[in-house]
Amino acid sequence: MKFKNKELDLSIPRVMGILNVTPDSFSDGGRFDTLEAAVEQASEMINHGADFIDVGGESTRPGAAAVSVEEELDRVIPVIEAISARFDTVISIDTSKALVMTEACNAGAGLINDVRALREDGALSAASQSGSAVCLMHMQGQPRTMQNSPTYQNVIKDVSSFLEHRIQSCIDAGIERNKILVDPGFGFGKTLAHNYQLLDGLAELQNLHVPLLVGLSRKSMIGKLLDRELDARLAGSIAAATISLMKGARILRVHDVQQTADAVKVVSALSAFKDQLN
Ligand code: 7PJ
């Protein structure tokens, strides 16, 4: 698959490292320190095997406050420029805002990762004009209120149908099918039961015929199930990542790159050694 001028073979599952550049994600004040810390964290994730760095300046946690477009640009553009200048890993921009998409792609991003699946004003055309690949994620409701009694007829079918419609909207806007990824959006307007029903039924989303990206890392579907705080969810996250790989996920969006890359190698060994069987 092509991400602007970079190409990645997705027949091997890939790891996307999460780089949050929200003020609370680094424990210091100044912009320059924040920039240095972000580049350092990206560098470490790349050394640990990240094939993508997902840069995000808007918190989409339940209840998080909205961020202005100027503030979001101030947070993410310098970081994208710095990473793009130093590494040739694919940079992904986690945003829903058209202007942030455009500026991020000009600064070096090759993938637009939108939890709102390009439904905000101008987003479809900004994404189309950027020439970058896109990741369309399912979310029911809006981040502030999405966890207030989410409901589905059949969570797998409803998510699949939503993604199918968004793929068609992208194609209608001039985004080629081979530039589209989809994501069921674990934790975005879903109960614990919905999240596990979706994980179990993940293979059905392969019927959309575009590569599948998933984000399960440290989410509340792990924390709530196990009664673990954020810093104690690694084992649960790796178990969920492994299940998703076995059900066909091609890209895993994670905090713990090194450990997830190990899980990818273990799962990939199943098919790698198959042809030696006689
Ligand atoms: C996701 C995301 C996800 C995609 C976030 C968190 C919340 N983008 N951005 N998929 N989650 N594509 O990381 O806990 O699941 S922010």
Side-chain angles (χ1 to χ4, degrees):
M1 187 163 178
K2 279 177 91 168
F3 301 90
K4 272 278 214 15
N5 51 351
K6 290 161 193 159
E7 202 164 344
L8 271 180
D9 173 7
L10 295 184
S11 69
I12 308 158
R14 302 288 179 172
V15 179
M16 170 182 278
I18 300 170
L19 187 61
N20 283 320
V21 283
T22 48
D24 47 355
S25 57
F26 295 101
S27 55
D28 56 64
R31 290 266 179 220
F32 182 73
D33 287 353
T34 306
L35 180 62
E36 287 299 287
V39 171
E40 182 54 38
Q41 200 183 323
S43 166
E44 187 178 299
M45 292 194 290
I46 291 164
N47 287 334
H48 287 161
D51 301 295
F52 298 84
I53 298 294
D54 188 42
V55 179
E58 183 209 14
S59 176
T60 45
R61 290 193 175 286
V67 181
S68 73
V69 63
E70 292 78 17
E71 177 63 27
E72 205 177 316
L73 287 167
D74 283 352
R75 290 177 185 176
V76 300
I77 300 303
V79 173
I80 293 170
E81 284 172 344
I83 296 172
S84 173
R86 288 171 181 72
F87 312 102
D88 55 28
T89 309
V90 178
I91 300 169
S92 159
I93 174 67
D94 191 341
T95 191
S96 296
K97 296 185 180 77
L99 187 59
V100 178
M101 292 173 186
T102 302
E103 296 294 316
C105 293
N106 287 338
L111 172 63
I112 294 166
N113 172 30
D114 184 5
V115 299
R116 295 177 183 81
L118 307 177
R119 285 179 292 166
E120 296 284 290
D121 285 350
L124 267 176
S125 85
S128 178
Q129 276 163 32
S130 74
S132 290
V134 300
C135 177
L136 308 171
M137 197 197 80
H138 175 272
M139 167 165 61
Q140 184 177 92
Q142 285 292 323
R144 215 167 50 76
T145 52
M146 65 190 176
Q147 292 309 106
N148 303 343
S149 70
T151 48
Y152 297 87
Q153 283 205 319
N154 174 318
V155 70
I156 302 156
K157 293 203 166 27
D158 293 2
V159 166
S160 177
S161 157
F162 169 87
L163 293 173
E164 190 180 358
H165 284 104
R166 294 312 298 159
I167 291 171
Q168 193 54 51
S169 298
C170 284
I171 290 170
D172 294 345
I175 302 170
E176 295 148 278
R177 195 177 189 90
N178 62 10
K179 285 187 179 163
I180 303 173
L181 300 164
V182 292
D183 181 336
F186 288 104
F188 286 85
K190 287 151 191 112
T191 63
L192 189 66
H194 292 143
N195 285 313
Y196 281 94
Q197 288 162 352
L198 208 41
L199 182 57
D200 187 40
L202 198 64
E204 254 194 63
L205 298 182
Q206 292 184 51
N207 295 332
L208 295 167
H209 300 293
V210 295
L212 207 53
L213 184 153
V214 299
L216 294 149
S217 184
R218 301 183 188 173
K219 285 196 172 169
S220 73
M221 65 182 282
I222 313 291
K224 262 198 210 155
L225 186 82
L226 306 175
D227 192 20
R228 303 271 191 230
E229 294 303 319
L230 276 173
D231 63 357
R233 298 180 184 178
L234 177 59
S237 298
I238 296 297
T242 303
I243 295 166
S244 72
L245 287 168
M246 298 200 70
K247 291 181 183 283
R250 309 317 302 169
I251 304 173
L252 306 178
R253 179 183 177 277
V254 303
H255 302 87
D256 303 288
V257 170
Q258 189 165 42
Q259 295 87 343
T260 307
D262 281 359
V264 168
K265 283 185 191 160
V266 170
V267 175
S268 301
L270 300 183
S271 46
F273 292 116
K274 213 167 218 165
D275 55 1
Q276 293 176 18
L277 201 65
N278 45 38

